[in-house]
Amino acid sequence: MNRYELDTWGVEELLRRAGSSLAVHLIGAGGCGMSGLGHLLLDLGCRVTGSDLQDNAETAGLRARGAMVHQGHAASHITAAAPHLVVRSSAVPEDNPEWRQAREAGIPLARRAPVLAALAHRQRPLCVAGMHGKTTTTAWLAFALEQLGASPSYAVGWLTPQLSPHARYSHGQANGQPPWFVLEADESDGTLLEFRPHAAILLNVDEDHLDYFQDFAAVRLEFQQFADQVRGGPLLYCLDDERLAGLMKRRPDALAYGCHPLAHYRLEFIHCRPQPGPSGAAPEPASCFEIWHQRRRLGEFHTRLLGAQNLSNAAAVIAMLHQLGYAVDDIARAVAGFSGAARRQQCLYRDAHVAVYDDYGHHPNEIRLTLQAMRSLSPQRLLVAFQPHRYTRTQKLVEQFATCFKGADRLWLLPIYPASEPPIPGVDSEWLAQAIRTEGQPVELCEQPAALAQAVRAQLQPGDLALFIGAGADITVAAHLLASQLRADNPLPASPGAAAGAGGAPPAGRCCGRFR
């Protein structure tokens, strides 16, 4: 860190001195995380400027609220804005011309996480952390608290239709205390420890982000230290994740949730049955489950979201709300209305014959569980298209990627989405395809989103479900292309619904024991 780059304490001091007169410039303002930060700063009354390589709905949303956001990066944007603070996301490199100009001008610099943490620390931070499911769980918790009249602040790392915009800073107090600030604490770039939570949910730990962490031991240490920073409120963790449970043995004050028989909040799945969809559309699935607290039945709950991971996410939200003192019947109503975050098992098209889903899953465990969730809808065939995300992740987890698509009847791959990484010689989608074929599973390659949409469409038969999965931009483009083509060809009512998260649905009458 150079002498002008601020940590969380430094940003807090800057906010304390400048208050709402603070002028902040955001580099990469169109990203979900950075645009959310922009909305928070605007809620505080700050003057916000920024830039991004491309205009999108997020830059337009910030402009609509009075922010000056430029298309393209240029040092002159810093000179014209004269900001008190310049912030960049982890996706923006150090040699960015605006970052370099601010550094040379002696303007304080910060990454996104310390600024988000500084804003959250002004209230009561309620953090959600984990490798999988934190966007869905964060959005679900913020939505439920809103339904319960708590008017929380929140910062969700992805677009959520029921929370628009996806970040908000609430003013005033709740029951004589500052509002809850619900946020997902990201571990991917080593900024997890910037946050000092009042309360927290730990979902899981996994072998990921090894482009940043030296090894999995470093990942575990990061989560352990994060848990040690929780002060004042409940700390919840998933007992079904054995590695996470091992980390939490040293925290006897922490409360466990999950299907494990020793969980303080035990989840018991009841059934998943179709519910009526919009007029003329195919029925939509809904899950029913119970939560038991300290061997006593807490209540029965319902959700439209698919899969075991989503049931686990629901249990985490319910347990936290119960710990915060809300009545069970109120919790049940607040939780049932959540329809999910975008690109988390999002149904783009469904009619009486076929369905098209789009999902952000990009880790082998997420993919495996999402395929299980799609299988719970009982399609005739499951057609899967995947775009690998990052060369480093593909290289380090190739053996897991080679076996995680076993639930697919047909499989296609797009080229690896680099996410600003330089190529690694020999690591590409053809290399991954060979590893998958070695496991006995056929796979085809497509070079462009349009070609992929055409290839999947050519194979669609009545009863098929097509799943497009991956964190890259091209895979979701292909999914939307196919959905648009099907809508154009089918004049009958279709149901573009949304379900969020990754998970596998357990058999009826059994607990979701897949975690173990």
Side-chain angles (χ1 to χ4, degrees):
M1 180 184 296
N2 69 64
R3 63 192 180 95
Y4 295 116
E5 188 165 342
L6 303 180
D7 57 12
T8 300
W9 182 87
V11 177
E12 289 174 353
E13 282 294 299
L14 188 61
L15 281 167
R16 184 182 61 80
R17 293 197 306 268
S20 60
S21 65
L22 189 70
V24 184
H25 185 85
L26 306 175
I27 309 176
C32 281
M34 290 293 284
S35 62
L37 189 61
H39 285 293
L40 295 171
L41 292 166
L42 289 167
D43 288 341
L44 277 174
C46 299
R47 177 168 64 86
V48 176
T49 61
S51 65
D52 207 296
L53 289 175
Q54 295 182 340
D55 280 340
N56 59 16
E58 293 311 297
T59 56
L62 291 174
R63 289 192 190 106
R65 296 193 60 193
M68 174 70 73
V69 182
H70 304 275
Q71 182 178 1
H73 300 308
S76 59
H77 297 157
I78 298 296
T79 304
H84 303 121
L85 177 66
V86 174
V87 186
R88 70 178 174 99
S89 73
S90 297
V92 173
E94 292 251 0
D95 61 356
N96 177 277
E98 296 178 13
W99 186 260
R100 188 170 58 245
Q101 172 65 22
R103 184 173 58 240
E104 292 173 355
I107 298 171
L109 309 169
R111 290 192 291 171
R112 170 183 172 269
V115 181
L116 178 59
L119 294 174
H121 293 164
R122 295 160 67 97
Q123 301 185 332
R124 289 184 291 168
L126 202 172
C127 295
V128 179
M131 300 303 204
H132 318 298
K134 59 180 174 287
T135 294
T136 295
T137 307
T138 304
W140 209 337
L141 184 55
F143 173 83
L145 283 168
E146 181 72 6
Q147 298 303 301
L148 291 165
S151 190
S153 297
Y154 54 80
V156 182
W158 198 256
L159 305 182
T160 303
Q162 291 172 304
L163 299 173
S164 183
H166 56 291
R168 180 183 75 186
Y169 192 93
S170 290
H171 299 274
Q173 293 190 331
N175 298 321
Q177 293 183 295
W180 289 107
F181 196 125
V182 183
L183 62 97
E184 56 179 288
D186 187 15
E187 77 291 334
S188 65
D189 58 357
T191 57
L192 186 62
L193 300 183
E194 297 286 347
F195 300 94
R196 302 189 301 275
H198 182 86
I201 296 172
L202 299 183
L203 301 170
N204 41 60
V205 291
D206 208 339
E207 295 181 73
D208 202 1
H209 309 305
L210 298 180
D211 55 321
Y212 176 84
F213 292 100
Q214 181 177 357
D215 51 28
F216 186 50
V219 175
R220 293 197 302 269
L221 179 61
E222 185 96 347
F223 275 84
Q224 189 174 74
Q225 292 175 336
F226 174 77
D228 289 342
Q229 293 182 179
V230 178
R231 294 287 187 274
L235 171 60
L236 298 170
Y237 70 97
C238 184
L239 190 56
D240 299 318
D241 188 301
E242 293 182 354
R243 293 182 289 193
L244 179 58
L247 292 180
M248 300 306 294
K249 286 180 179 178
R250 59 193 296 271
R251 288 296 302 264
D253 58 322
L255 299 172
Y257 70 90
C259 297
H260 195 288
L262 298 180
H264 298 91
Y265 288 88
R266 182 171 63 83
L267 165 67
E268 188 168 309
F269 179 74
I270 301 177
H271 60 70
C272 182
R273 293 176 181 168
Q275 300 292 320
S279 177
E284 298 179 349
S287 296
C288 176
F289 59 98
E290 292 178 328
I291 298 293
W292 291 72
H293 179 229
Q294 305 290 38
R295 299 186 179 181
R296 298 182 63 180
R297 182 178 180 273
L298 192 65
E300 182 177 298
F301 302 88
H302 299 81
T303 176
R304 287 177 280 172
L305 277 59
L306 299 175
Q309 183 62 61
N310 274 323
L311 293 183
S312 181
N313 295 339
V317 172
I318 292 164
M320 179 58 74
L321 294 173
H322 187 248
Q323 283 293 306
L324 298 184
Y326 290 99
V328 173
D329 290 345
D330 293 337
I331 294 172
R333 284 190 292 270
V335 167
F338 182 64
S339 61
R343 293 216 65 207
R344 269 62 177 179
Q345 291 181 15
Q346 182 177 5
C347 183
L348 300 181
Y349 179 89
R350 178 171 54 238
D351 61 22
H353 306 290
V354 299
V356 179
Y357 280 77
D358 184 25
D359 192 87
Y360 189 76
H362 51 282
H363 185 280
N365 287 342
E366 295 170 345
I367 294 167
R368 187 178 296 109
L369 298 174
T370 305
L371 266 59
Q372 290 175 15
M374 296 295 100
R375 280 292 183 191
S376 75
L377 296 174
S378 302
Q380 287 293 112
R381 296 188 306 165
L382 180 57
L383 313 184
V384 178
F386 173 60
Q387 183 173 31
H389 186 257
R390 293 187 179 274
Y391 297 103
T392 53
R393 180 180 287 114
T394 305
Q395 181 186 50
K396 293 177 183 296
L397 302 179
V398 62
E399 293 181 1
Q400 297 180 46
F401 279 118
T403 59
C404 70
F405 295 100
K406 291 295 185 182
D409 295 294
R410 295 291 298 266
L411 178 61
W412 293 265
L413 298 182
L414 278 175
I416 294 174
Y417 188 80
S420 303
E421 283 189 347
I424 298 175
V427 177
D428 54 25
S429 287
E430 176 59 41
W431 177 69
L432 175 58
Q434 289 298 334
I436 294 171
R437 293 179 185 126
T438 299
E439 296 294 327
Q441 184 168 12
V443 56
E444 302 172 43
L445 274 70
C446 288
E447 290 298 319
Q448 299 294 334
L452 175 60
Q454 182 177 1
V456 176
R457 186 181 182 191
Q459 291 298 322
L460 274 177
Q461 300 174 9
D464 285 353
L465 187 154
L467 170 66
F468 293 75
I469 188 166
D474 297 332
I475 192 70
T476 192
V477 168
H480 281 266
L481 279 173
L482 177 58
S484 296
Q485 292 166 4
L486 293 173
R487 277 194 294 272
D489 291 346
N490 185 0
L492 296 176
S495 174
R510 290 183 56 193
C511 174
C512 49
R514 64 91 191 159
F515 297 100
R516 305 194 69 205

